[in-house]
Amino acid sequence: MHGAPLVGWLLVALCAATGAYCLLQMRGEPPGPGRRIAGAEALMGWGMAAMAVPSTVLDPRPWGPAAFAAVFAVAAVRALLPVRGAGLPGHRLHHAIGALAMVYMALAMMTGTTGGHHHTGQTAPGRMAGGVPLLTGVLLVYFAVYVVRSGLRLVPMTDGALDGAGVRAVDDAEAGAGARAGAGSSGTGWSRRPELRHACRLSMGIGMCAMLLAV
């Protein structure tokens, strides 16, 4: 990762935490589109965490970039396949764009510099210093817009989620649902809170912007 190792470790922590939450969400979802979306987001979070590890700790070349590219190329194709019950087309398209961005950054790692990760050291003869500036710029604009939209969706949702949580708490109290909450059902509800889901998507969008800036 280009820049200070601290930035890389912050990205690792952010993306790993996001991926872990998406795994919890996937576990709490019934079989269907919700589980597929959570699984795709978990893969993206953990993949970004692995790619953001500073090169002073782990240099994934020569096999690492090819493995990243292969995994996320498959993820992009899978996201675009018209599978019945695969979720909204907008979600599938966004996951495909994110996976292709990961493929692009993995290819930049292979064709970039020789000293550590793809942004440190001397430029190899006949190789690019990183990615293609135009493509990097297009992806940066896309994810920047996505971050802004996710943030705008998150702000009103927090208030609405709190109001809805208050109504549900009253209903549960009237129905005598306290025992079920103590039995462990609250963990599943926590993993499926919509505001946390949007916060994770916002975090992954910010992480993607930071990683593209280093290409």
Side-chain angles (χ1 to χ4, degrees), residues 95-177:
H95 291 156
I97 293 174
L100 290 175
M102 295 291 285
V103 173
Y104 166 65
M105 289 188 288
L107 294 177
M109 291 168 67
M110 288 191 292
T111 59
T113 57
T114 58
H117 224 144
H118 60 294
H119 305 295
T120 56
Q122 300 296 322
T123 302
R127 290 187 175 184
M128 296 186 300
V132 180
L134 178 60
L135 181 54
T136 303
V138 170
L139 289 172
L140 274 171
V141 170
Y142 171 80
F143 284 104
V145 172
Y146 178 79
V147 166
V148 173
R149 289 186 61 189
S150 298
L152 292 177
R153 290 177 181 177
L154 182 62
V155 173
M157 179 171 290
T158 303
D159 296 334
L162 290 175
D163 294 340
V167 173
R168 287 195 302 271
V170 173
D171 293 340
D172 289 344
E174 293 174 352

Side-chain angles (χ1 to χ4, degrees), residues 16-213:
T18 302
Y21 173 78
C22 290
L23 285 178
L24 290 177
Q25 179 187 343
M26 181 180 175
R27 181 182 178 185
E29 289 284 345
R35 179 172 290 186
R36 289 174 60 91
I37 291 173
E41 291 173 345
L43 175 64
M44 182 66 66
W46 286 108
M48 291 172 64
M51 191 176 285
V53 174
S55 60
T56 54
V57 176
L58 176 65
D59 185 0
R61 293 182 301 177
W63 54 267
F68 279 126
V71 169
F72 284 100
V74 172
V77 172
R78 187 171 182 268
L80 292 174
L81 288 177
V83 180
R84 183 178 179 181
L88 297 176
H91 282 298
R92 298 204 309 268
L93 180 60
H94 173 71
H95 291 156
I97 293 174
L100 290 175
M102 295 291 285
V103 173
Y104 166 65
M105 289 188 288
L107 294 177
M109 291 168 67
M110 288 191 292
T111 59
T113 57
T114 58
H117 224 144
H118 60 294
H119 305 295
T120 56
Q122 300 296 322
T123 302
R127 290 187 175 184
M128 296 186 300
V132 180
L134 178 60
L135 181 54
T136 303
V138 170
L139 289 172
L140 274 171
V141 170
Y142 171 80
F143 284 104
V145 172
Y146 178 79
V147 166
V148 173
R149 289 186 61 189
S150 298
L152 292 177
R153 290 177 181 177
L154 182 62
V155 173
M157 179 171 290
T158 303
D159 296 334
L162 290 175
D163 294 340
V167 173
R168 287 195 302 271
V170 173
D171 293 340
D172 289 344
E174 293 174 352
R180 289 198 304 272
S185 62
S186 60
T188 301
W190 177 83
S191 68
R192 298 177 67 183
R193 290 178 67 90
E195 68 274 16
L196 291 179
R197 189 175 305 176
H198 279 271
C200 285
R201 292 170 181 170
L202 175 65
S203 299
M204 282 195 290
I206 294 172
M208 188 67 75
C209 287
M211 294 176 70
L212 284 168
L213 287 172

